[in-house]
Amino acid sequence: MKANISKEYVLAKRRYLDLGVDTGAALKKLKKVSLSLHCWQGDDVSGFENEGVALSGGIAVTGNRFGKAKTPEMLRKDLEKALSFLPGKHRVNLHASYGDFRIKKNDRNEVSRENFTGWVAWAKSLGLKLDFNSTFFSHPKANEGFTLSSKDPAIRSFWVEHAKKCRDIASWFGKSLGGSSVHNLWIPDGMKDLTVDKRGYRQNLLKSLDSIYAQKLPGGTIKDAVESKLFGIGSESFVVGSTEFYLSYALKHNLMLCLDMGHFHPTESIADKISSLLLFQKEILLHVSRGVRWDSDHVVIYDDSLKDLMFEVKRNDAFDRTFLALDYFDASINRIGAWVIGARAAQKAILNALLEPTSKLVKAEESGDLFSRLALLEEQKAMPLGAVWNYFCEQEGVPSGDSWINEVLTYEKEVLSKR
Ligand code: RNT
Ligand code: ZN
């Protein structure tokens, strides 16, 4: 431990103690919160099925920084590098399109465990857990803009089959690696312009989901989530999988709702939704992302929306009922650096929330002393969070402060630039 870091920590600890906050207890909790690191930041959501297939489904990547991972081996190497900068123990989130299709070129409706043996062996060797996502985009059968809600029964059953195969893979991840694998379902279905038969599409989605989740899998191996969205590129006027749709479906069928930070109206914060959802849902999935104008997936930074979100999870004492998965992609900057910026920002926001003197604030609120509540919230902003964060990083054996930036640059020079 660097001497100045432990000195600064001792001082910070005292400041937090004055507010009634125990930094040691907060760090113990922080260590237990894991993030699911999204594999798709490592190659701009390309996947390994066919080289050169364009990203579709209303999401877009911009930028062409050199060095992106082109094989599962490269991606795993990059993930290991990114994980080496993160304190604590994390998970890795895969998409179905990231299987090893050199083993067998299965189409989406045939994707199977054999395409993921390499990932499972790798995860086992590092003691990592894997989460999973069906992939309903970047595929010829998704080009008409509809998958599970399509009016063409053949298209629908193709994608139902895909989801079933994916749930089997996720459940196998859970069984092989211990605990449950989170399987998330997001479809791009929607329309660019005024849509008349919204009900018809939603009815089709309902039927497809019923068929997907009727498949019974070994208990405790999989947790299912459904992800809503407001609009996408090319689906500006209508999105089949809206929040009302999935919230209702999730409640009725005991699934998790997945809230993506970038999938709502720009001024609508998902932080406010947490305390309602958790009264009705046992667990929830959050896609930690950042919306900027039309794009819902900018690199996560330590901003107000992230801080507010983590405050709410903390105030609900719900870090053990909330799955946190990163979801963004930026091809214009160093991809490993992007992973690390977002993950460390999320962890800092979690720490910041854990260091909040919540009971003191609630006391002021309950006694009607709303001036003190606001003043205390403001004073929080100048507390020495960084000192506690750096101490945590050192304690966990990962770089503190900005010292990881040069390491990313070295990796870029030595590994990425040679690809
Ligand atoms: C898209 C959704 C979805 C994807 C990933 C790749 O708007 O947020 O979660 O980003 O599945
Ligand atoms: Zn998402």
Side-chain angles (χ1 to χ4, degrees):
M1 173 84 57
K2 287 179 198 143
N4 60 328
I5 286 185
S6 45
K7 253 193 234 156
E8 280 169 19
Y9 176 68
V10 172
L11 295 174
K13 192 179 163 78
R14 217 176 289 156
R15 295 259 328 266
Y16 280 105
L17 211 56
D18 288 342
L19 288 171
V21 174
D22 178 350
T23 50
L27 290 182
K28 232 191 220 157
K29 281 193 185 153
L30 178 61
K31 199 174 157 160
K32 283 203 221 130
V33 183
S34 73
L35 302 173
S36 197
L37 208 63
H38 56 318
C39 75
W40 51 95
Q41 163 53 40
D43 76 334
D44 325 326
V45 214
S46 307
F48 304 125
E49 293 169 308
N50 308 297
E51 229 182 288
V53 167
L55 178 61
S56 72
I59 48 180
V61 178
T62 48
N64 63 345
R65 183 91 188 155
F66 60 85
K68 89 173 184 184
K70 293 191 196 98
T71 63
E73 290 75 20
M74 287 183 198
L75 189 57
R76 290 196 275 266
K77 198 174 160 126
D78 293 353
L79 275 162
E80 281 178 42
K81 193 74 202 170
L83 286 165
S84 76
F85 299 122
L86 307 183
K89 188 97 203 147
H90 302 284
R91 307 164 69 96
V92 169
N93 206 1
L94 298 178
H95 242 287
S97 49
Y98 286 78
D100 192 336
F101 299 98
R102 297 167 301 191
I103 294 173
K104 199 164 171 218
K105 215 175 155 358
N106 293 322
D107 199 355
R108 298 274 171 91
N109 61 337
E110 298 159 332
V111 63
S112 83
R113 299 179 187 189
E114 65 187 329
N115 299 114
F116 289 88
T117 47
W119 282 107
V120 169
W122 173 74
K124 248 186 206 158
S125 74
L126 296 174
L128 286 168
K129 298 209 163 127
L130 297 176
D131 295 322
F132 204 49
N133 299 262
S134 297
T135 312
F136 295 95
F137 48 84
S138 308
H139 188 279
K141 287 201 162 60
N143 280 351
E144 299 300 315
F146 292 96
T147 61
L148 292 178
S149 72
S150 170
K151 296 220 172 176
D152 177 346
I155 296 280
R156 252 179 5 244
S157 67
F158 175 88
W159 290 111
V160 166
E161 206 41 48
H162 172 62
K164 287 184 177 171
K165 293 279 164 34
C166 288
R167 290 187 71 238
D168 172 74
I169 295 168
S171 161
W172 171 63
F173 284 174
K175 202 152 85 196
S176 321
L177 303 167
S180 311
S181 172
V182 173
H183 170 260
N184 181 49
L185 182 147
W186 171 75
I187 57 166
D189 300 29
M191 275 194 165
K192 182 186 179 77
D193 222 328
L194 306 179
T195 308
V196 177
D197 189 20
K198 294 183 176 183
R199 178 194 162 92
Y201 290 109
R202 291 195 166 125
Q203 219 153 32
N204 284 345
L205 176 57
L206 183 61
K207 266 193 271 167
S208 294
L209 295 183
D210 282 349
S211 161
I212 291 166
Y213 298 111
Q215 173 197 29
K216 291 289 161 254
L217 294 163
T221 58
I222 181 169
K223 288 182 192 282
D224 281 291
V226 280
E227 180 180 6
S228 66
K229 195 167 180 173
L230 180 65
F231 77 93
I233 303 170
S235 56
E236 291 86 358
S237 300
F238 173 53
V239 163
V240 184
S242 62
T243 303
E244 294 72 19
F245 181 94
Y246 282 132
L247 175 59
S248 310
Y249 195 84
L251 284 174
K252 191 160 172 193
H253 297 277
N254 246 326
L255 309 178
M256 293 191 283
L257 181 69
C258 170
L259 294 178
D260 185 307
M261 291 174 76
H263 287 192
F264 293 84
H265 287 281
T267 59
E268 187 178 358
S269 151
I270 70 163
D272 181 54
K273 304 178 192 300
I274 306 294
S275 56
S276 300
L277 281 180
L278 286 173
L279 290 176
F280 300 95
Q281 293 228 287
K282 200 170 119 224
E283 295 167 319
I284 53 172
L285 172 62
L286 299 179
H287 267 189
V288 181
S289 192
R290 176 167 57 110
V292 176
R293 310 222 186 266
W294 59 266
D295 177 47
S296 63
D297 302 291
H298 267 54
V299 178
V300 165
I301 54 171
Y302 184 68
D303 61 6
D304 283 350
S305 62
L306 185 65
K307 284 189 269 182
D308 288 346
L309 181 62
M310 298 310 176
F311 274 137
E312 276 304 311
V313 181
K314 191 264 178 166
R315 292 168 186 168
N316 282 273
D317 192 18
F319 279 110
D320 55 346
R321 299 206 277 144
T322 307
F323 291 90
L324 299 169
L326 301 177
D327 181 17
Y328 54 81
F329 24 94
D330 187 336
S332 71
I333 60 172
N334 181 295
R335 294 176 185 80
I336 289 113
W339 259 322
V340 182
I341 291 170
R344 282 173 70 112
Q347 288 191 285
K348 265 181 251 166
I350 296 166
L351 177 60
N352 184 53
L354 291 170
L355 291 173
E356 181 190 69
T358 311
S359 47
K360 211 173 169 155
L361 286 159
V362 171
K363 229 186 227 160
E365 186 167 280
E366 284 175 346
S367 70
D369 184 3
L370 305 187
F371 148 70
S372 298
R373 180 185 62 182
L374 190 59
L376 203 52
L377 283 169
E378 277 303 287
E379 287 303 324
Q380 287 312 296
K381 295 175 183 169
M383 287 296 285
L385 171 76
V388 184
W389 166 253
N390 284 336
Y391 177 80
F392 182 62
C393 288
E394 292 283 323
Q395 206 183 33
E396 288 291 300
V398 306
S400 58
D402 59 8
S403 56
W404 61 276
I405 299 174
N406 271 333
E407 284 189 49
V408 168
L409 292 174
T410 307
Y411 184 77
E412 179 168 82
K413 208 162 127 203
E414 286 174 0
V415 181
L416 304 185
S417 71
K418 300 196 173 117
R419 282 182 182 164

